[in-house]
Amino acid sequence: MRLRTWLTFSTGAAVGAGAVYILDPDHGAQRRRAARQQALQQARSGAATALVEGRRRGEEVVTAALTGYRHARVTSDDPTTGA
């Protein structure tokens, strides 16, 4: 069997097994609920991390802008620079 054919077969088997696992009439509802809760938990965690990281980067940008502004102001006020 060629590698491509084997890979296609394996992918189809995995998708089929996943569908049977999730769509199981006896325990499928519990599995779907658990998967939904896990996905929501990961989304909340990712959103919280993104907010913290965004705030930190925003503070860095503001600090860099203020530092640049102060440096430019001091340089332009300095009569020895000729600016």
Side-chain angles (χ1 to χ4, degrees), residues 7 9 18 21 30-31 36 46 48 53 70:
L7 188 59
F9 171 77
Y21 181 78
Q30 291 172 316
R31 291 179 183 144
R36 201 171 27 250
E53 188 65 21
R70 289 179 185 138

Side-chain angles (χ1 to χ4, degrees), residues 59-76:
E59 289 172 351
E60 288 176 0
V61 168
V62 168
T63 301
L66 287 173
T67 301
Y69 171 75
R70 289 179 185 138
H71 177 72
R73 195 168 157 208
V74 167
T75 305
S76 66

Side-chain angles (χ1 to χ4, degrees), residues 9-34:
F9 171 77
S10 299
T11 302
V15 169
V20 167
Y21 181 78
I22 293 294
L23 300 174
D24 176 22
D26 296 329
H27 302 287
Q30 291 172 316
R31 291 179 183 144
R32 288 189 294 276
R33 187 172 25 260

